[in-house]
Amino acid sequence: MVASDTRATVRREQAWTGAVDVRILVTGTSGQLASSLAARARGQAEIVLVGRPDLDLENPATFAPVLNSVAPGMVINAAAHTGVDQQEDEPERAFRINAEAPAELARLTRLAGIPIVQISTDYVFDGRSSRPYVEADRPTPQTIYGRSKLAGEEAVRAGNRDHMVVRTAWVVSRYGRNFVKTMLSLAAARDRLQVVADQFGNPTCADDLADGLLAAASIWRKRGGFPQDLYHLAGQGRASWYELASHVLAASALLGGPSAVVEPISSEQWPTKAARPANSELNSDAFDRDFGFRAGDWRERVVEIVDLLGAGIK
C-alpha cells in the first residue's frame, strides 16, 4: 500500500510503444505500487498516476474532475493513509482517507460504468491465526488502520458492483520508503540492529503486486468482470521481520554494500502504539487460480531489489 502523494502532479507513463488496451487511473504518484504499475505496464495498459492536489483523498470534490479529464477504463485506488501508529491519534483522518474516499470513488466509478480495484491490507485480521489467512476468514482488525481499511473495503463493495478488493502485505521495492531501504540505511550508520522476530508475514515485491493487478485487468477485459470480488496477493514464503532484515543485509554484504549484525528481539521489547499482527500471512491460491499469477519467493525478490538499488539508498 502507498501513502497519499503530496506533490502537485499528474504523471502519465507508458513503458512501451504501440497499442494501448485500457487506460488505468492510479491514485498516488510516487508510492511503491503506483511506481511499479507505471514501470510494469509494458503495453498492457496506459497508466495515469494522479496525486495531490489534483486528486486529494481528503478532498472528495477533486475526484470527479479527474475522472472526467482522464476518462479511465479502470481505477486502482493504491493510495492510503498508512501511518499505522499515527492513525491511533487521528482516527477521523484515517477513516476520511481510507474509508470515505474509497466510498466516493466507488460511487463515481459506478456512475461512470467503470470498475474499481481497492488495495487493502493484512491488518484487517487480528494476527492470531495459526495458518495463512484466506479470503473467507472473518476480519477482526485491532488497529485504527485495520478498521479504516476494512471500512474502505466495505464501502467499495457497497458502492460499485464492478469492483475487486486485493489485500496484500509487507510491500517492499526499489521505490519509495519501505523496510528494505530502511534496513540498508540503518546498516550504513550502525554496526548492530535489533529487529522483531515474533511477527510473521509474506514480504511482497511491489513489482509482483503490479504484475498481478495487470493480469487481473486483462482477465477483466476478456470476461467483462472479475471472477470474485476479494483476493489476497502476497509474496511466497513466510518470514519474520528479523529474517527479512537478515536476508536484506546478507544480500547487501555480498554486493559490498552496508551490513550490520541483526539481533532478534520480541514484540514486547519493541513496543508500538498500534499492535502489529503476530501472523500476517495471506494465502494467495485464489488469485493464482483465477488470474494465473503468483508472486515470487520473497528471498529471491529481496536479492533483486538490493541488486537494483546497488546496495544503496535511492
Side-chain angles (χ1 to χ4, degrees):
M1 230 90 46
V2 292
S4 299
D5 193 89
T6 58
R7 298 183 306 171
T9 182
V10 176
R11 191 170 82 242
R12 297 174 184 264
E13 298 204 18
Q14 292 176 278
W16 70 92
T17 58
V20 173
D21 290 328
V22 65
R23 177 178 293 165
I24 300 177
L25 169 62
V26 180
T27 60
T29 59
S30 63
Q32 294 189 81
L33 178 54
S35 297
S36 286
L37 281 164
R40 306 290 292 183
R42 295 176 179 171
Q44 301 173 69
E46 176 187 359
I47 302 297
V48 182
L49 308 180
V50 188
R52 291 180 176 175
D54 304 279
L55 192 153
D56 182 350
L57 294 187
E58 293 192 81
N59 182 8
T62 63
F63 300 173
V66 168
L67 285 170
N68 291 335
S69 175
V70 175
M74 178 178 291
V75 170
I76 296 179
N77 184 29
H81 183 350
T82 57
V84 178
D85 291 323
Q86 181 184 355
Q87 289 181 44
E88 295 298 308
D89 294 325
E90 48 184 41
E92 292 183 359
R93 183 166 185 253
F95 275 85
R96 186 162 59 248
I97 295 173
N98 293 342
E100 295 171 18
E104 179 64 4
L105 283 171
R107 184 185 74 85
L108 292 172
T109 51
R110 174 181 58 81
L111 292 175
I114 57 177
I116 183 170
V117 177
Q118 172 72 9
I119 306 303
S120 193
T121 174
D122 55 304
Y123 274 77
V124 301
F125 297 113
D126 61 18
R128 296 170 186 158
S129 176
S130 60
R131 56 163 175 76
Y133 286 97
V134 297
E135 290 84 351
D137 288 326
R138 187 170 73 89
T140 51
Q142 303 297 300
T143 62
I144 296 297
Y145 175 59
R147 294 186 189 109
S148 66
K149 290 297 288 183
L150 179 60
E153 292 184 12
E154 294 168 345
V156 169
R157 185 174 295 113
N160 186 343
R161 292 182 60 185
D162 195 0
H163 75 273
M164 181 173 68
V165 173
V166 178
R167 295 172 181 151
T168 191
W170 294 31
V171 179
V172 294
S173 70
R174 56 187 148 156
Y175 306 111
R177 290 183 292 178
N178 60 75
F179 187 82
V180 170
K181 284 189 170 184
T182 297
M183 290 301 102
L184 291 172
S185 180
L186 289 174
R190 305 178 191 175
D191 294 329
R192 308 182 79 84
L193 304 177
Q194 292 185 323
V195 182
V196 171
D198 58 0
Q199 296 171 15
F200 297 88
N202 308 108
T204 307
C205 177
D207 283 351
D208 280 340
L209 183 55
D211 287 347
L213 293 175
L214 291 167
S218 178
I219 294 296
W220 178 88
R221 290 198 298 273
K222 293 175 183 176
R223 296 185 49 161
F226 300 111
Q228 64 185 50
D229 67 356
L230 173 63
Y231 291 93
H232 293 169
L233 178 55
Q236 293 186 58
R238 164 187 167 104
S240 67
W241 291 115
Y242 164 75
E243 290 170 327
L244 177 54
S246 298
H247 195 67
V248 168
L249 297 184
S252 176
L254 287 174
L255 292 169
S259 189
V261 175
V262 184
E263 300 175 349
I265 60 173
S266 68
S267 298
E268 292 181 353
Q269 293 173 280
W270 194 270
T272 54
K273 183 167 290 188
R276 268 55 173 177
N279 174 34
S280 287
E281 290 182 88
L282 300 177
N283 182 307
S284 302
D285 288 348
F287 199 96
D288 184 21
R289 178 198 67 215
D290 288 350
F291 302 117
F293 179 87
R294 188 177 289 276
D297 183 274
W298 72 266
R299 298 167 188 83
E300 296 175 2
R301 293 298 188 257
V302 163
V303 172
E304 293 169 0
I305 292 168
V306 173
D307 188 33
L308 285 168
L309 289 171
I313 305 301
K314 294 182 181 177

